[in-house]
Amino acid sequence: EAQVTQNPRYLITVTGKKLTVTCSQNMNHEYMSWYRQDPGLGLRQIYYSMNVEVTDKGDVPEGYKVSRKEKRNFPLILESPSPNQTSLYFCASSLSRQGDQPQHFGDGTRLSIL
Amino acid sequence: AQSVTQPDIHITVSEGASLELRCNYSYGATPYLFWYVQSPGQGLQLLLKYFSGDTLVQGIKGFEAEFKRSQSSFNLRKPSVHWSDAAEYFCAVGVPFRGYNKLIFGAGTRLAVHP
């Protein structure tokens, strides 16, 4: 089954404790992206990747890192999480960077930073 | 700057009633247009998309949307709402950005359905 898998689905942690949210897709998609969803703001892009070893900042990259060492994986790293990073996070992938193919979303990761 | 506006934060309709969710965008040309639905605890699922051609597009689950260039709008409609349609709906536009088409989302409209 074609899917984007995120782990963990839920995490409660404390300020400053490094964490990684994994994202994996099995559709051989080139393009992957991370979003955060906050009430009243919709989804905002954190980072994106157009291919292996090619990543770039989105609209709200501060406090986050990503890597794309393999085509299928695109982990999101919070080196020193802070409470303002409490949010719902989505990973997405797409066959094409041109926008003519829809993005496939994972089921989300709810992070609470205390 | 490009933006997407969904004027209604919450909408409540009765089951069987018709539905229209509004979406307006700000962009100089005609972007790619999308509607996504998010059910509780799940990711976003594509309902429909518009790239070009016929301005009335049909999607899954009985939804349709109409692109109106003069109004920069892409409103989502359904003639008869089912209780299972209760969810959050996001309008999005795809605009060229650094060699790819970037998705810009609206803030979402949460739909409640009364029996």
Side-chain angles (χ1 to χ4, degrees):
Chain A
E1 179 190 352
Q3 58 186 2
V4 177
T5 304
Q6 296 178 226
N7 280 296
R9 293 291 312 279
Y10 305 91
L11 180 63
I12 301 173
T13 188
V14 296
T15 299
K17 185 177 181 181
K18 179 180 179 180
L19 68 91
T20 299
V21 184
T22 64
C23 174
S24 180
Q25 51 92 5
N26 62 0
M27 296 167 279
N28 201 37
H29 285 172
E30 278 191 352
Y31 176 80
M32 297 185 74
S33 186
W34 275 103
Y35 297 90
R36 61 178 289 172
Q37 182 183 358
D38 301 289
L41 297 177
L43 279 78
R44 294 177 293 167
Q45 189 182 57
I46 303 170
Y47 268 93
Y48 66 94
S49 170
M50 289 198 278
N51 214 326
V52 175
E53 302 291 4
V54 180
T55 64
D56 205 349
K57 297 177 180 178
D59 297 316
V60 288
E62 293 77 21
Y64 304 95
K65 286 174 58 177
V66 293
S67 69
R68 187 92 183 273
K69 294 185 172 61
E70 307 163 281
K71 200 171 189 178
R72 63 183 292 127
N73 296 322
F74 190 44
L76 179 70
I77 303 155
L78 285 71
E79 293 268 359
S80 182
S82 63
N84 65 10
Q85 293 177 297
T86 292
S87 188
L88 179 58
Y89 292 84
F90 288 100
C91 180
S93 73
S94 177
L95 182 62
S96 164
R97 70 179 68 173
Q98 298 309 318
D100 56 337
Q101 299 293 327
Q103 293 198 27
H104 297 256
F105 286 82
D107 286 339
T109 295
R110 187 167 292 281
L111 288 184
S112 294
I113 315 295
L114 305 178
Chain B
Q2 304 93 351
S3 64
V4 178
T5 301
Q6 293 180 246
D8 305 302
I9 299 173
H10 295 280
I11 284 184
T12 301
V13 300
S14 298
E15 191 168 16
S18 64
L19 172 70
E20 182 169 28
L21 303 182
R22 297 181 289 165
C23 173
N24 292 94
Y25 65 89
S26 172
Y27 182 60
T30 299
Y32 294 152
L33 295 158
F34 305 85
W35 274 99
Y36 285 85
V37 61
Q38 183 183 24
S39 298
Q42 296 186 13
L44 279 71
Q45 180 185 20
L46 180 69
L47 282 176
L48 47 76
K49 61 190 180 193
Y50 173 78
F51 295 153
S52 64
D54 192 345
T55 56
L56 185 64
V57 294
Q58 303 297 320
I60 62 171
K61 305 185 182 189
F63 285 92
E64 66 178 25
E66 185 172 14
F67 168 57
K68 292 186 177 179
R69 186 190 311 273
S70 61
Q71 299 176 18
S72 297
S73 70
F74 189 56
N75 294 350
L76 182 71
R77 300 194 294 247
K78 186 169 185 178
S80 178
V81 170
H82 188 262
W83 63 266
S84 61
D85 293 324
E88 189 154 23
Y89 292 80
F90 291 95
C91 180
V93 301
V95 298
F97 181 78
R98 294 185 188 173
Y100 80 104
N101 260 285
K102 175 181 178 178
L103 273 188
I104 300 172
F105 286 86
T109 297
R110 185 169 296 277
L111 174 67
V113 180
H114 278 183

